[in-house]
Amino acid sequence: MKVLVINGPNLARLDIRDSSIYGDMTYQQLVGHIETSAKTQGFQADVRQSDDEATIIGWLHEAADKKLPVIINPAAFTHYSYAIRDAAELVKSPLIEVHLSNPLSREEFRHTSVISGVANGTIGGFGPNSYVLALIALKALTA
Ligand code: DQA
């Protein structure tokens, strides 16, 4: 089964982001980690990244139309994009929110997720393994 993995703004620049928060994998390494872990769980991951809100909304519409499950790290959009939230609500297949860091242990503006309310669940704080845990959860949800 296919899974659409959507990564939001600035995640493609993990190489220059704070490694004490985001770890030391590059984005390309993260993509490889997700693709390999997806295969282990019996999924084929289509991993995408965009800094652009409209592009992410388009991908969520595509997931809704094609009935694809979604794993999404909306990055900073997590905290304020009602448009991404409304698009995520259109996805009737399982949708899991992930974060590399634990937003709840960081600045106060990161404590709000406008996405969590329309996700099956949220996993954060485990670095790249947040995606692996999401794939395991997705397998259980789609079994
Ligand atoms: C993030 C957490 C967000 O608060 C932040 O804006 C990001 C990445 C994470 O994966 O930990 O860009 O979603």
Side-chain angles (χ1 to χ4, degrees):
M1 184 191 284
K2 215 170 148 178
V3 53
L4 188 52
V5 181
I6 299 175
N7 290 305
N10 301 305
L11 289 169
R13 299 315 313 270
L14 287 177
D15 55 329
I16 56 168
R17 293 190 82 176
D18 187 341
S19 60
S20 69
I21 296 173
Y22 296 112
D24 44 24
M25 265 194 194
T26 64
Y27 182 68
Q28 276 323 309
Q29 288 169 331
L30 177 66
V31 171
H33 186 69
I34 296 168
E35 287 172 347
T36 305
S37 309
K39 269 188 207 134
T40 306
Q41 298 305 326
F43 292 105
Q44 189 205 332
D46 179 351
V47 187
R48 304 181 191 178
Q49 189 278 332
S50 179
D51 297 329
D52 175 51
E53 194 176 22
T55 301
I56 292 171
I57 290 166
W59 290 340
L60 288 167
H61 291 171
E62 181 186 335
D65 292 341
K66 295 182 179 168
K67 301 184 183 0
L68 294 174
V70 173
I71 293 173
I72 183 166
N73 182 345
F77 286 140
T78 304
H79 313 301
Y80 67 93
S81 177
Y82 301 126
I84 289 181
R85 184 238 182 256
D86 285 352
E89 193 177 20
L90 303 176
V91 177
K92 301 303 176 201
S93 312
L95 181 144
I96 301 175
E97 176 188 352
V98 298
H99 300 283
L100 292 164
S101 67
N102 176 4
L104 295 175
S105 70
R106 299 179 61 197
E107 303 96 320
E108 203 160 334
F109 75 88
R110 297 185 203 275
H111 297 184
T112 298
S113 168
V114 300
I115 309 298
S116 295
V118 294
N120 289 69
T122 301
I123 299 166
F126 300 98
N129 284 334
S130 293
Y131 293 83
V132 180
L133 293 168
L135 285 159
I136 292 168
L138 189 60
K139 189 175 179 185
L141 286 171
T142 53

